[in-house]
Amino acid sequence: MIKKGDIIRLEVVDISHEAKPIGKVDGLVIFADKGTFGDVLEVEITKVKKSYALAKTTNIIEASPHRVESPCPHSKECGGCNYMDLSYESQLELKYRQLVDKLVRLGGINNPLVREFVCADVDDRKGYRNKTTYEITTFGNIKRKGGVIENLGPATIGFKGRGSHDVVAVSDCVVQSRAARAAVEATRTFMEEDNITAFDSKWNQGLMRNMVVRVSEDTREVMVNYIINGKSIPNGEKLIGMLDDAIYEAGYELVSVNLSHKKEDDVSLDIYGKEIKEYAGRGFIKDKIGKLDFEVSPRSFYQINKTCTKLLYDKVVEYANLSKEDVVLDLYCGVGSIGLYCADKAKFVLGVESVKDAVINANRNAVINGIVNARFVEGKAEEVLVKLAGGDGEEQLVQSVNFASVVILDPPRAGCHKELLQTVADISPERIVYVSCDAATLSRDIKILGELGYSFVEATPVDMFAFTNHFETVCLLVRD
């Protein structure tokens, strides 16, 4: 029987959703802290539970045949891309297995039909992120006098480390755009030259908390959002000038800089806090997907991989199988990109989104593209849908909900509210197209929909996040 302190040999046969190596010894599942798919490890057992154990990797006995030399200099420390040292084929194999496993185990589907991964070409698998959120800290570089923070060195701007809360500086990140890297370097230099402090949560002091960079590879426009612990950035004009120069040198154009004041007690809010203010330029960037033009503001949900977004949307259109008689509900619609992508093939599209700025963008995007058969309303999908399905609301919207033949679900990682799924089933559309970034909650919701009268037909995974354990899945369900 395995017990704490045992040193054992462990073959890694899978990777968990949290990117932990998984093996099995004497029927017990063991999660190690380091290693990758195919490695044979020497591990020390640190904790034993009834159905699993935790272990610390002490040595790699045999390196995995799936290992490759990581193209990223930060991959051993950074917690962002946990598949960077695996061949691309092995990355897809792992993700595919994980999707099938969850559809069977959590979705209750026997032999689910899962198509091959849809992927970007090899040249588009690096620098693919059009949005990046950075941590800003002076970790290890601050001193305090009488409770006041004084800067001792350059800020660290980067991502949380692997298995750590420490921030790893990322000067040459493989999946970020050149524009994002230029913005980071300009910010770091500005903070050093002007002695600008980073936020320290323990002392609730320091100015700079986070920065979020959004980039369009089509229009070459860049947005930089700073989340600060204060009302303004000292000598901000200098910072904007440095950003503008650096981003221009990288081959892009800075068109938007925004500020938001995030208080430490704003725990119920997103990273931005209550209000985002335009600091320089306009409050959005422009982008394209296929033939459509979009305006994207700081809070708006927008897929982060431009190339794979079109591939994913093409699969949504295929599964939706639309005609000019179809009314489409686009729930959790963000800036309306999926609904608008489908609009020319449908009779009418109604989108629902809880983020006000995104709804404004969505309706504006309909106008920009001359689309007159789509509307977007603000509210939580589960609340708006129940209300309209019950006849409470504008007649056009009530009829759109109650005569919908296709429902597109694209929820956040937590999946759909059960009440929403029940209401969707009550509306009784012919087809449901479910887009998910989490195979576990997708499978859970598919099981619920199955109990409500909808059968799983097939799924297609899309490798939206190369070098990580994440991916998107598009599923088709039809009414029994």
Side-chain angles (χ1 to χ4, degrees), residues 90-106:
S90 297
Q91 295 177 36
L92 297 184
E93 178 185 345
L94 272 174
K95 295 178 185 184
Y96 189 92
R97 285 170 46 184
Q98 290 162 0
L99 174 58
V100 172
D101 172 72
K102 288 179 173 61
L103 288 172
V104 172
R105 188 166 46 86
L106 303 178

Side-chain angles (χ1 to χ4, degrees), residues 415-466:
C416 297
H417 284 255
K418 192 171 184 178
E419 185 179 17
L420 173 70
L421 297 176
Q422 179 65 63
T423 306
V424 167
D426 291 342
I427 294 169
S428 193
E430 296 173 12
R431 298 176 295 285
I432 298 173
V433 181
Y434 197 132
V435 181
S436 173
C437 61
D438 187 285
T441 55
L442 167 68
S443 300
R444 177 202 68 195
D445 291 349
I446 286 175
K447 184 174 184 179
I448 294 171
L449 287 168
E451 295 166 353
L452 295 172
Y454 282 83
S455 295
F456 170 87
V457 178
E458 66 175 64
T460 299
V462 181
D463 194 32
M464 190 76 74
F465 315 100

Side-chain angles (χ1 to χ4, degrees), residues 222-228 231-233 236-237 240 254-261 272 274-285 295-299 357 360-361:
V222 178
M223 170 192 292
V224 180
N225 308 300
Y226 290 107
I227 297 88
I228 61 175
K231 295 182 178 180
S232 65
I233 299 174
E237 296 82 1
I240 293 168
L254 178 67
V255 300
S256 177
V257 181
N258 304 288
L259 289 184
S260 62
H261 178 199
Y272 294 106
K274 291 182 179 179
E275 184 179 7
I276 301 173
K277 295 182 179 180
E278 294 178 16
Y279 194 55
R282 47 178 157 84
F284 60 87
I285 60 172
E295 290 182 356
V296 184
S297 60
R299 287 190 201 271
D357 291 351
I360 293 172
N361 283 152

